[in-house]
Every structure is written in C-alpha cells, then in structure tokens.
Amino acid sequence: MLHNLIKAIIVDDEPGSVFTLKTLLEEYCPEIHLQATTDKPLEAKKMIMELKPNLVFLDIEMPFVNAFDLLDSLKPVSFEVIFVTAFNDYAIKAFRYSAVDYLLKPISITELVSAVERVKKVLAGSVGYNSRLHGLLDTLKNANYI
C-alpha cells in the first residue's frame, strides 16, 4: 500500500529533534513513509531533489541556511511544508511560503496528527488555498502564536 503513503523528509539541525519527530510519526502517523532525515541542512537540498518527497518537516533556524533560504533555492517548490520550530517569530513568514502547518517545539501529538491530516487533504486536492490559510491561522491562534 505504498501508493497511499505520504513520502516525507525531516530536516532539522538538532539530532534529538529529528529523533523525537521520527518517533512520533512512526507511532501516531502511519500514513507517513519517512524517506530520510537529516540534521545537516546543507545536505537537505540535494536530498529533496533526489527523493522528491510529498512533504518536508522543516526546522526554520539552522546553521548556514535557514528554512526560507532553502525553500527559495528549491523554487518552484513541489512539496508541502510543515515548519517545526522552537520559535514562534516566523509564523507570518510561513504564510508567505504556503506552509500547511507550523508546529512549535515541543511537538504536540494532537497538533502533529492534525497537520498530517491537513496534508492528506491538500495532496488529495480537497483543500484549496483559502482552506489551507484558515487551517493554518486556526492552528496559530489556538496555540497563541499570533
């Protein structure tokens, strides 16, 4: 049933965060097929281009390259993005990059599952841009990010 799975990559410069997210995905999000993880942001571009994931879980503040620079270098972006960060300062900028969701560390299981559900709907074509924007705004408001 690999065709129903969401191919995903985790990019985060903190190995502990990569491990935590990987563990949560394995336990609570069986529809995610984790293709790869990296704690080396400079390798992420090559990895994304080679593996062509449907979804990238992306930390924002990383050494040498931040998430937005990485996304700019990959334009046009052909995958969905869930930002996973310890900083709520970038929520508005995440809108500009059409993020599906914005998860604040430590990751809430409920928010993670909800974000993955939203990705499933986006990939199925049942969620338009306005619905995505409203969903992201709701997430940010509920978590007091904005």
Side-chain angles (χ1 to χ4, degrees):
M1 286 267 207
L2 195 61
H3 65 281
N4 289 335
L5 296 178
I6 299 169
K7 299 182 301 180
I9 293 175
I10 297 172
V11 180
D12 192 320
D13 65 307
E14 299 172 26
S17 293
V18 170
F19 177 80
T20 299
L21 181 54
K22 180 180 182 222
T23 303
L24 291 173
L25 289 170
E26 288 170 353
E27 188 165 343
Y28 298 100
C29 303
E31 60 272 75
I32 297 292
H33 168 64
L34 200 54
Q35 294 178 293
T37 65
T38 185
D39 58 6
K40 297 173 180 63
L42 294 177
E43 293 177 3
K45 181 178 179 179
K46 181 179 178 188
M47 185 182 294
I48 291 168
M49 290 173 66
E50 286 176 4
L51 296 175
K52 298 180 180 11
N54 306 109
L55 172 62
V56 175
F57 292 91
L58 189 55
D59 186 18
I60 294 179
E61 284 198 5
M62 300 178 287
F64 308 112
V65 61
N66 71 31
F68 304 113
D69 293 337
L70 176 62
L71 291 173
D72 285 341
S73 75
L74 288 164
K75 281 185 177 175
V77 173
S78 60
F79 51 86
E80 302 303 326
V81 176
I82 294 176
F83 288 109
V84 182
T85 183
F87 304 94
N88 62 6
D89 307 5
Y90 300 104
I92 302 302
K93 195 166 186 179
F95 288 125
R96 295 186 186 124
Y97 283 81
S98 300
V100 173
D101 218 323
Y102 189 96
L103 302 176
L104 197 60
K105 297 175 186 174
I107 298 169
S108 154
I109 294 166
T110 305
E111 289 177 13
L112 176 63
V113 170
S114 175
V116 169
E117 285 299 315
R118 191 172 292 120
V119 169
K120 285 171 40 179
K121 290 177 183 173
V122 168
L123 292 175
S126 63
V127 175
Y129 180 75
N130 284 339
S131 295
R132 290 174 67 174
L133 184 59
H134 289 293
L136 186 53
L137 275 171
D138 288 344
T139 299
L140 296 172
K141 285 178 186 173
N142 290 338
N144 294 319
Y145 297 165
I146 58 173

